[in-house]
Amino acid sequence: MTHEVDPDLRDMLEDFFATEVTPVVVEEAERAGTYAADVWKKAESLDLPWIGIDEECGGAGGSLADLVTLVAEAARRATPAPFVEHHLAAWLVAQAGLDRIEGPLTVSGLTETVEVSGDRLTATLPEVAFAGDASAVVVLAKSEGADVVAVLRPAGATLEPHADIDGTPVPTVVASDAPVVVAPLSVTAEDVRRRALLLRSAVLAGLTRAMFELTQSYTAERHQFGKPVGSFQSVQLHVVTLAQAAEMSQVCVDRAAGALSIGGGEFEVLATAAVTAQNAVQGARSAHQAHGAIGMTREYALQFLTRRVQTWRQRWQSQSDVEDAVAGWALEAPSLSGLIARHREEGVVA
């Protein structure tokens, strides 16, 4: 299985999001408490939301590497649309052998245990991103002890509005004896959560790269005392820190995607989630230090990125829980060097 991204696809994704997702688009979606519907429609016309779903399941095909590239490019422009949530929901539907559901879709049940009874669901689902705009909420659930998928139509539930710090609508979905379509899963709940954690890391890698690019450009253009602020050593330190964080995060995401695509990746995905979260937080700190006061203003694009860092580094699993899990692996391994080098024995080439 290839771990390489089609270069034409990478270029097309970069051009698409750079053209379609402007700061005005992001601002308007946030103020309206919704998603960028026009961007989503154009993405659908190109089948982008279906990258990573097998063609026989109604998807566009493509590798896991293609999928993480899509997610990272969307994050790089702070795209206010459910590319991650839709993929996880569509992937769950495919793994359950159900017919394709037209989107956008969203997902729930990744952080809490949800029980279904027959074809009815009574549950309170917290912070379901974009649920108000989704055609279905796809829930990872349990039925008589087995992992299942439960497809809930929003019309059968009550939505309690709420928004994340980055402006993403994350209502609580309350289902009371709501009808659902239930089907058994061909993968485990841990497989689903591992895929979600990898996509979270891809988002953070995209955000970190965007913070680096914005900071590099600003410090080259902004002059003080007759020369670019980027020529001052104290500012250069922040730009270098961002460059290192962006590159390290991308390498880790690529390795984790490679490991996961061949059926492994439990440690690699956890370690990557820890590294990308730490790099994103450090990157946000350095970006704001290099920008000074303008980085805190509503009119400047940096805040779109750094607010998303604060949301995504905790999405589905807290940063401290991820780091504790990585430490658990390290403590149980015969040697740390053997644990780190394990991916080479499994055929994952960095």
Side-chain angles (χ1 to χ4, degrees):
M1 182 177 292
T2 179
H3 308 309
E4 300 295 329
V5 180
D6 182 339
D8 291 337
L9 175 64
R10 186 190 294 278
D11 290 345
M12 187 271 281
L13 291 173
E14 184 173 347
D15 289 345
F16 176 82
F17 287 106
T19 302
E20 300 297 338
V21 187
T22 65
V24 172
V25 169
V26 180
E27 179 72 16
E28 287 179 349
E30 184 172 329
R31 288 191 184 281
T34 183
Y35 74 124
D38 289 343
V39 174
W40 184 265
K41 287 178 183 175
K42 291 177 181 176
E44 279 193 318
S45 71
L46 298 171
D47 246 2
L48 301 187
W50 299 97
I51 289 175
I53 304 296
D54 291 341
E55 293 181 57
E56 56 266 31
C57 298
S63 66
L64 195 55
D66 295 333
L67 173 64
V68 298
T69 301
L70 164 70
V71 168
E73 285 298 328
R76 190 175 161 200
R77 305 295 172 181
T79 307
F83 284 95
V84 173
E85 295 83 359
H86 173 87
H87 170 79
L88 292 171
W91 190 70
L92 276 168
V93 169
Q95 299 307 313
L98 298 174
D99 292 337
R100 166 171 161 162
I101 304 171
E102 296 303 322
L105 309 175
T106 191
V107 68
S108 184
L110 299 182
T111 59
E112 65 283 340
T113 300
V114 180
E115 295 279 353
V116 293
S117 178
D119 60 354
R120 315 297 290 188
L121 175 64
T122 297
T124 298
L125 310 174
E127 298 185 346
V128 184
F130 301 105
D133 299 300
S135 57
V137 179
V138 179
V139 184
L140 174 63
K142 290 277 188 185
S143 177
E144 299 179 351
D147 293 327
V148 299
V149 164
V151 179
L152 170 69
R153 298 291 181 176
T158 301
L159 272 56
E160 299 175 353
H162 182 61
D164 261 340
I165 188 175
D166 63 6
T168 300
V170 286
T172 297
V173 177
V174 181
S176 180
D177 198 31
V180 288
V181 174
V182 179
L185 266 176
S186 62
V187 295
T188 68
E190 284 308 307
D191 292 332
V192 182
R193 294 190 175 98
R194 197 169 299 137
R195 196 176 186 89
L197 208 53
L198 173 66
L199 297 185
R200 172 179 114 169
S201 295
V203 169
L204 290 170
L207 290 170
T208 305
R209 178 160 299 281
M211 290 188 293
F212 161 61
E213 292 168 341
L214 192 62
T215 304
Q216 184 184 42
S217 175
Y218 173 79
T219 56
E221 295 172 358
R222 170 72 171 165
H223 282 63
Q224 201 167 41
F225 306 116
K227 53 185 177 181
V229 296
S231 64
F232 297 112
Q233 191 173 27
S234 59
V235 176
Q236 289 173 346
L237 175 62
H238 295 307
V239 177
V240 169
T241 298
L242 273 160
Q244 291 173 327
E247 286 303 313
M248 185 193 305
S249 292
Q250 188 59 58
V251 168
C252 288
V253 168
D254 291 344
R255 282 190 170 192
L260 190 61
S261 67
I262 59 173
E266 185 176 1
F267 171 71
E268 288 83 356
V269 170
L270 272 174
T272 294
V275 169
T276 53
Q278 291 171 0
N279 282 345
V281 171
Q282 178 59 57
R285 189 177 299 129
S286 294
H288 278 293
Q289 287 281 343
H291 276 84
I294 192 173
M296 302 298 292
T297 61
R298 183 80 188 183
E299 293 74 18
Y300 193 72
L302 182 61
Q303 49 90 16
F304 290 131
L305 305 171
T306 54
R307 284 190 290 128
R308 280 167 169 74
V309 167
Q310 298 307 322
T311 297
W312 277 96
R313 73 185 181 91
Q314 305 283 1
R315 182 66 61 88
W316 299 313
Q317 192 171 357
S318 72
Q319 188 174 340
S320 60
D321 285 349
V322 170
E323 291 169 352
D324 286 347
V326 173
W329 269 80
L331 288 172
E332 293 179 5
S335 73
L336 184 58
S337 59
L339 178 63
I340 294 171
R342 191 171 57 93
H343 68 280
R344 294 187 182 279
E345 298 168 7
E346 294 176 349
V348 181
V349 179

